[in-house]
């Protein structure tokens, strides 16, 4: 049962353009959403997050949008840079501290110079 | 100085063997986790310990036994290894229980291959 879905396994974008990575979730009890970035042979590293009480959070080139009614969030990277090439994981958690962080399968982003 | 370190990074072993993966964090975090990334690339929680106390155990076979000698260490011991145990195992830690903005810091992963 996939509670967090990233339906695009890969995405290629030209350098300088916008990258949009999408994520859907099924559990309405999720109240916090995070994006992690992973390079080969490394662990995932935290990128940006958003609380369910917000619909947008921005940090430099990275913006996360949340549409609660659609149970959908997206990560926008603009402008995209070659160093952004990595696997991006969407993750979500509920209110309780005993609720584990649930991850999607990831989307591999390739930024082409 | 690595924040969350796992050893070994690679482990190749035969079915039926017993093996351990060690994890240490120097961040002063109270909570540690083991996640498994299988061939389908899902990252799934296995265990979570808060101040050496088990708080999450997600339907993992009892061949897997985590041990937390202190809050800076969480080791994973696997008995009677099976082919399906082949995966990358990630250790992580967080300051307190993972609620809200509390971010997990991951280790680099330990790739286990069972032949």
């Amino acid at each position: 049962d996939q509670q967090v879905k990233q339906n695009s396994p890969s995405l290629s974008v030209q350098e300088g353009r916008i990258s949009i990575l999408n994520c859907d979730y099924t559990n309405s009890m999720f109240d916090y959403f995070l994006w992690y970035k992973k390079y080969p042979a490394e662990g995932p590293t935290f990128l940006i997050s958003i609380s369910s009480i917000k619909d947008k959070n921005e940090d430099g080139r990275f913006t996360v949008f949340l549409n609660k009614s659609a149970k959908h969030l997206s990560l926008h990277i603009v402008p995209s840079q070659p160093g952004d090439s990595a696997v991006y994981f969407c993750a979500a958690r509920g209110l309780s501290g005993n609720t584990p962080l649930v991850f999607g399968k990831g989307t591999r982003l390739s930024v082409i110079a | 100085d690595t924040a969350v370190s796992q050893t070994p990074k690679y482990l190749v072993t035969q079915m039926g063997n017993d093996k351990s993966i060690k994890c240490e964090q120097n961040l002063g975090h109270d909570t540690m986790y083991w996640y498994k990334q299988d061939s389908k690339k899902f990252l799934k929680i296995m265990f979570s310990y808060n101040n050496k106390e088990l708080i999450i155990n997600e339907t993992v076979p009892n061949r897997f036994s985590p041990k937390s000698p202190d809050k800076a260490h969480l080791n994973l011991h696997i008995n009677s290894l099976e082919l399906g145990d082949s995966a990358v195992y990630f250790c992580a830690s967080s300051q307190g229980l993972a609620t809200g903005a509390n971010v997990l810091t991951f280790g680099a992963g330990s790739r286990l291959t069972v032949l």
Side-chain angles (χ1 to χ4, degrees):
Chain A
D1 177 27
Q2 285 181 252
Q3 297 186 70
V4 177
K5 301 178 186 180
Q6 293 178 257
N7 292 320
S8 299
S10 63
L11 175 68
S12 287
V13 171
Q14 289 282 340
E15 182 180 5
R17 299 287 185 106
I18 185 170
S19 296
I20 300 176
L21 296 100
N22 293 304
C23 177
D24 297 294
Y25 62 97
T26 57
N27 189 339
S28 57
M29 298 303 291
F30 286 148
D31 80 316
Y32 215 88
F33 305 89
L34 303 91
W35 285 92
Y36 278 78
K37 176 179 176 180
K38 184 183 180 306
Y39 292 118
E42 295 183 12
T45 55
F46 171 71
L47 186 59
I48 193 169
S49 63
I50 188 166
S51 163
S52 60
I53 62 172
K54 294 187 174 182
D55 55 19
K56 177 182 174 181
N57 187 28
E58 189 173 351
D59 183 2
R61 296 184 298 113
F62 303 91
T63 303
V64 56
F65 295 92
L66 175 63
N67 181 335
K68 280 188 67 177
S69 60
K71 294 193 177 70
H72 177 83
L73 63 155
S74 60
L75 174 68
H76 292 210
I77 307 173
V78 56
S80 301
Q81 299 173 354
D84 296 329
S85 296
V87 177
Y88 289 79
F89 288 97
C90 174
R93 68 158 61 99
L95 270 171
S96 164
N98 289 348
T99 304
L101 194 57
V102 180
F103 285 83
K105 286 176 70 171
T107 297
R108 181 178 300 278
L109 173 66
S110 300
V111 180
I112 304 158
Chain B
D1 198 18
T2 307
V4 180
S5 58
Q6 304 177 220
T7 54
K9 196 170 177 67
Y10 300 97
L11 187 53
V12 181
T13 189
Q14 298 286 334
M15 270 199 315
N17 284 350
D18 304 338
K19 290 294 177 187
S20 293
I21 306 172
K22 295 185 176 182
C23 180
E24 175 182 4
Q25 54 94 4
N26 62 8
L27 297 166
H29 287 170
D30 294 326
T31 310
M32 295 186 72
Y33 311 81
W34 278 109
Y35 275 81
K36 177 181 179 181
Q37 186 179 32
D38 58 22
S39 58
K40 294 181 180 176
K41 303 302 181 187
F42 281 108
L43 262 169
K44 290 184 181 175
I45 183 76
M46 299 175 69
F47 300 102
S48 172
Y49 270 74
N50 185 54
N51 276 321
K52 303 194 297 174
E53 180 184 349
L54 179 67
I55 55 170
I56 294 175
N57 181 345
E58 289 282 316
T59 59
V60 176
N62 57 15
R63 297 183 295 104
F64 290 78
S65 52
K67 286 200 170 39
S68 181
D70 54 62
K71 72 175 192 178
H73 295 85
L74 181 61
N75 303 323
L76 183 65
H77 188 76
I78 315 169
N79 289 327
S80 304
L81 278 157
E82 299 177 358
L83 293 175
D85 298 333
S86 296
V88 182
Y89 292 84
F90 287 97
C91 178
S93 71
S94 67
Q95 184 55 51
L97 293 172
T99 57
N102 205 352
V103 170
L104 270 62
T105 301
F106 283 85
S110 297
R111 180 177 293 276
L112 172 65
T113 302
V114 182
L115 303 175

